[in-house]
Amino acid sequence: MNDDNELNLDFDPDVIRQYFEHLAEDEQLSTVPQKTPVAAAKLKKIVEGAILAAAQPLTVSRIQELFEESFVPTKEAIEEALVALQSSYADHGIELKEVASGWRFQV
């Protein structure tokens, strides 16, 4: 942590990509037609992991870029996941916060 009490974790897009591939294998999504929506509960977990792994705040557009083309969620779906995450962390020592450069967890 730095002086501003920000979490600063290294972001590795390959790790996130491998996670998506693992999810696709688990649910055999690789055979599903184009533009398959990601379930809300799973999207919430993916968004949470991406933000926690990121070295800097993530915008909704940047979160969308983490998905393979056939699984890209809508901006609205990501925003719903972000709001759900904010509620989930309401009683925790960290919070999900939107700042000028995107979304981040902070103390």
Side-chain angles (χ1 to χ4, degrees):
M1 280 188 236
N2 63 23
D3 292 336
D4 296 329
N5 290 328
E6 295 177 16
L7 294 174
N8 188 7
L9 304 171
D10 289 329
F11 177 69
D12 185 351
D14 290 331
V15 171
I16 300 298
R17 202 167 282 110
Q18 288 172 355
Y19 180 70
F20 292 144
E21 289 170 3
H22 175 70
L23 290 176
E25 289 171 7
D26 281 354
E27 296 195 8
Q28 300 176 358
L29 295 176
S30 57
T31 60
V32 178
Q34 291 281 6
K35 298 295 177 185
T36 302
V38 177
K42 184 166 287 188
L43 179 59
K44 181 180 166 187
K45 290 178 183 179
I46 292 169
V47 169
E48 178 182 36
I51 294 171
L52 284 169
Q56 68 277 338
L58 295 179
T59 63
V60 171
S61 296
R62 180 65 183 112
I63 294 169
Q64 284 182 306
E65 292 172 8
L66 298 173
F67 290 83
E68 291 186 21
E69 185 176 333
S70 60
F71 298 105
V72 176
T74 64
K75 288 185 178 196
E76 292 80 15
I78 292 174
E79 289 167 353
E80 288 175 15
L82 290 164
V83 169
L85 280 168
Q86 278 184 313
S87 295
S88 296
Y89 280 90
D91 296 329
H92 290 80
I94 62 172
E95 64 181 342
L96 179 61
K97 197 80 166 158
E98 184 176 19
V99 295
S101 55
W103 290 84
R104 70 177 183 196
F105 281 101
Q106 65 185 30
V107 181

